[in-house]
């Protein structure tokens, strides 16, 4: 059968392209870190897989491989700030994963893979404060994982899926202001993560999972602005990535984890009105992130992180009433965030970061006596936040933001 062997060859070639893509940096930035090249290799594999699948749509194995390709492609696009394309790839993968799960009702693997894809897909609306949209995907995943865990309570894969699920879901819950629900879930996830860590003491990813859950707890206390607990919760998360980074300074994932941890601690110190410690932690975050940018200068997510870390430093200068220094930092933040927002209009969080930059610089200008610049910047902030409101992408903790900005504007213009 000429056709059969030809399809087999195409399938093998697709697998080869995917392996190359993994090494180039699809899915994570710990390998060679060239996400673009990784996406190109995955794209070549995808065309081949689609052709093989189209030749016989009843073949579950080729459907499985195509679904896997869509899933990895979607996650990689999302890592690369290509939000719209990522959502399209997730949709295609989701359709196939649902069909596979229905075709193999007894397969726990097929169900687990569907749940994992739902959790990964939900990260996009959760990141963009579209909590209701995220919860639709998460609740769907939660139902599947709960059913799987009833069948096999000790299965480590389902434990992993559960903890990832909870971490993701808790972000949506905090965005809606349900802190009690979020913390209840997160402390359950810590217990399950710790069980896994004891089960697999040598597995770095399992150990990292404990740290990830602790990090989300720290972020939830930041979102809640809990002055009592935030510094303790965020100090706890520095140790793990510091040790991992000392072992593997070239590992992009580890470096990213460390930068984010220092940033979260800097925010915790800011909530506690400690500008000196805020600046010190933010500078550590900047140092690590700058090294990552040297390796991958086009990475929008890295640049965005750098701008957000600088924003913390600017806030500290404002606390110290050093408004001229704050203005210098914030000009740099706005200059960095502008092009990032232009390039990825779907990621509303970037727009939010830019709005905050304009809001803070307006206040700094006003305090330095430049009311015209203050008014101009507060108007930009208002326009950006109104646009987010229209997209239903505002956190519960920010629901009064427009009113606050309008109030600030009055003091600048009166």
């Amino acid at each position: 059968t000429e056709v059969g062997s030809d399809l087999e060859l195409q399938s093998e070639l697709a697998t080869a392209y995917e392996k190359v893509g993994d090494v180039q940096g699809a899915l994570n930035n710990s390998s060679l870190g060239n996400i673009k090249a990784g996406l190109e290799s995955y794209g070549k594999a995808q065309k081949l897989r689609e052709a093989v699948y189209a030749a016989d749509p009843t073949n579950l194995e080729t459907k499985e491989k195509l679904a896997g390709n869509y899933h990895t492609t979607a996650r990689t696009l999302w890592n690369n700030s290509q939000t719209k394309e990522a959502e399209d790839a997730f949709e295609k993968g989701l359709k196939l994963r649902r069909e596979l799960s229905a075709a193999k009702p007894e397969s726990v693997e097929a169900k687990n893979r569907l749940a994992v894809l739902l959790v990964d897909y939900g990260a996009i609306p959760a990141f963009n404060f579209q909590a209701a949209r995220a919860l639709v995907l998460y609740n769907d995943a939660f139902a599947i994982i709960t059913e799987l865990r009833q069948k096999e309570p000790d299965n480590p894969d389902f434990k992993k899926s559960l903890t990832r699920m909870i971490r993701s879901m808790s972000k949506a819950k905090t965005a809606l202001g349900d802190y009690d629900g979020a913390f209840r879930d997160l402390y359950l996830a810590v217990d399950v993560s710790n069980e896994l860590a004891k089960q697999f003491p040598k597995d770095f990813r399992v150990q990292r999972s404990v740290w990830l859950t602790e990090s989300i707890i720290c972020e939830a206390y930041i979102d809640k602005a809990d002055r009592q607990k935030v510094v303790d919760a965020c100090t706890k998360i520095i140790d793990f990535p510091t040790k991992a980074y000392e072992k593997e300074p070239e590992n992009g994932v580890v470096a990213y984890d460390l930068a984010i941890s220092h940033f979260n601690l800097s925010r915790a110190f800011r909530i506690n009105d400690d500008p000196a410690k805020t600046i010190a932690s933010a500078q550590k975050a900047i140092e690590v992130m700058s090294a990552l940018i040297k390796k991958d200068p086009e990475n929008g997510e890295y640049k965005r992180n750098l701008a957000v870390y600088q924003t913390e430093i600017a806030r500290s200068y404002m606390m110290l009433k050093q408004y001229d220094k704050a203005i210098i930092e914030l000009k740099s933040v706005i200059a960095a965030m502008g092009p990032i927002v232009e390039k990825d209009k779907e990621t509303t969080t970037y727009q939010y970061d830019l709005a905050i930059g304009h809001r803070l610089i307006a206040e700094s200008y006003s305090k330095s006596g430049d009311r015209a610049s203050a008014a101009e910047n507060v108007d930009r902030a208002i326009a950006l936040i109104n646009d987010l409101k229209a997209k239903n992408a505002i956190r519960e903790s920010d629901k009064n933001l427009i009113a606050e900005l309008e109030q600030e504007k009055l003091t600048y213009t009166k």
Side-chain angles (χ1 to χ4, degrees):
T1 59
E2 196 66 19
V3 173
S5 60
D6 185 42
L7 290 175
E8 218 161 280
L9 196 65
Q10 283 178 290
S11 186
E12 280 168 24
L13 188 56
T15 303
Y17 274 129
E18 284 167 354
K19 283 186 177 148
V20 171
D22 290 339
V23 173
Q24 285 166 323
L27 204 51
N28 64 40
N29 36 20
S30 69
S31 42
L32 297 179
N34 185 347
I35 288 184
K36 251 195 222 85
L39 280 169
E40 270 169 33
S41 298
Y42 260 84
K44 287 174 185 165
Q46 193 174 98
K47 286 202 173 70
L48 292 164
R49 294 226 182 277
E50 285 172 341
V52 173
Y53 172 65
D56 179 10
T58 60
N59 184 322
L60 294 183
E61 196 191 332
T62 61
K63 184 183 277 200
E64 172 60 52
K65 285 179 173 162
L66 179 58
N69 179 297
Y70 284 144
H71 189 170
T72 301
T73 302
R75 284 181 61 188
T76 309
L77 286 162
W78 166 231
N79 282 344
N80 202 37
S81 303
Q82 291 173 261
T83 309
K84 187 76 195 80
E85 295 94 325
E87 288 186 320
D88 292 344
F90 271 125
E91 280 297 335
K92 287 179 183 167
L94 185 56
K95 181 177 180 289
L96 296 186
R97 287 263 171 251
R98 287 197 198 281
E99 288 169 11
L100 283 160
S101 182
K104 301 193 259 189
E106 289 313 301
S107 164
V108 290
E109 232 88 81
K111 283 194 172 73
N112 190 46
R113 284 182 180 145
L114 171 59
V116 169
L117 185 131
L118 285 161
V119 173
D120 284 344
Y121 187 6
I124 296 180
F127 183 73
N128 288 314
F129 309 135
Q130 294 160 327
R133 213 185 119 208
L135 282 171
V136 172
L137 295 161
Y138 290 149
N139 287 328
D140 206 350
F142 201 68
I144 297 168
I145 294 166
T146 306
E147 180 197 336
L148 291 174
R149 276 182 53 92
Q150 277 160 354
K151 285 186 189 157
E152 300 179 33
D154 287 324
N155 184 317
D157 284 339
F158 306 158
K159 285 182 183 176
K160 288 174 189 170
S161 298
L162 177 73
T163 54
R164 285 187 58 200
M165 161 80 253
I166 287 177
R167 281 198 295 270
S168 307
M169 206 165 179
S170 69
K171 282 193 164 173
K173 286 186 175 178
T174 56
L176 293 168
D178 177 12
Y179 294 106
D180 293 344
F183 286 121
R184 194 175 51 240
D185 292 353
L186 284 165
Y187 285 114
L188 163 69
V190 170
D191 292 342
V192 178
S193 296
N194 280 323
E195 270 174 41
L196 279 166
K198 284 193 190 84
Q199 217 173 328
F200 303 99
K202 294 269 183 283
D203 187 331
F204 175 78
R205 287 173 72 168
V206 170
Q207 310 299 320
R208 180 174 180 266
S209 177
V210 179
W211 167 82
L212 268 173
T213 309
E214 300 274 11
S215 293
I216 305 278
I217 291 172
C218 146
E219 288 176 2
Y221 281 124
I222 290 170
D223 196 70
K224 194 184 173 193
D226 187 321
R227 294 185 60 151
Q228 300 299 302
K229 295 186 175 154
V230 71
V231 171
D232 281 347
C234 297
T235 303
K236 225 181 183 172
I237 62 172
I238 299 291
D239 192 45
F240 178 77
T242 302
K243 285 182 176 150
Y245 187 64
E246 281 162 8
K247 271 191 208 141
E248 290 189 73
E250 289 307 305
N251 183 322
V253 173
V254 167
Y256 193 86
D257 288 350
L258 181 59
I260 293 281
S261 300
H262 281 307
F263 164 62
N264 279 333
L265 184 54
S266 81
R267 293 197 291 167
F269 284 131
R270 189 232 316 153
I271 287 166
N272 264 289
D273 296 324
D274 191 337
K277 284 187 176 165
T278 302
I279 291 173
S281 284
Q283 277 168 341
K284 283 181 187 161
I286 285 172
E287 206 175 298
V288 180
M289 192 53 67
S290 300
L292 279 172
I293 289 178
K294 271 207 180 81
K295 284 190 217 161
D296 186 1
E298 290 309 299
N299 189 312
E301 185 59 25
Y302 291 174
K303 289 182 196 165
R304 176 253 171 173
N305 277 309
L306 206 54
V308 174
Y309 305 164
Q310 275 182 289
T311 304
E312 286 306 315
I313 290 178
R315 287 179 189 271
S316 301
Y317 285 140
M318 290 169 75
M319 272 187 222
L320 296 164
K321 300 195 169 29
Q322 298 175 349
Y323 297 108
D324 47 342
K325 283 188 176 172
I327 288 167
I328 292 168
E329 294 290 334
L330 290 164
K331 276 185 175 168
S332 158
V333 168
I334 290 165
M337 285 311 306
I340 294 172
V341 170
E342 274 309 300
K343 199 177 156 199
D344 184 357
K345 293 220 170 34
E346 300 296 315
T347 299
T348 54
T349 298
Y350 297 164
Q351 209 173 314
Y352 178 84
D353 296 335
L354 180 60
I356 295 302
H358 281 299
R359 179 195 195 176
L360 294 173
I361 205 169
E363 191 186 324
S364 300
Y365 275 130
S366 165
K367 292 280 198 323
S368 335
D370 181 350
R371 290 171 64 172
S373 297
E376 183 190 327
N377 278 282
V378 81
D379 276 338
R380 287 197 187 150
I382 290 169
L384 287 161
I385 297 293
N386 270 323
D387 188 42
L388 291 183
K389 219 171 170 175
K391 290 178 183 163
N392 197 13
I394 293 272
R395 272 183 294 210
E396 185 62 23
S397 52
D398 282 320
K399 65 176 190 293
N400 300 322
L401 194 49
I402 294 281
E404 288 167 20
L405 287 165
E406 294 287 0
Q407 199 50 48
E408 286 160 24
K409 183 181 173 173
L410 283 176
T411 60
Y412 304 154
T413 51
K414 67 166 186 256

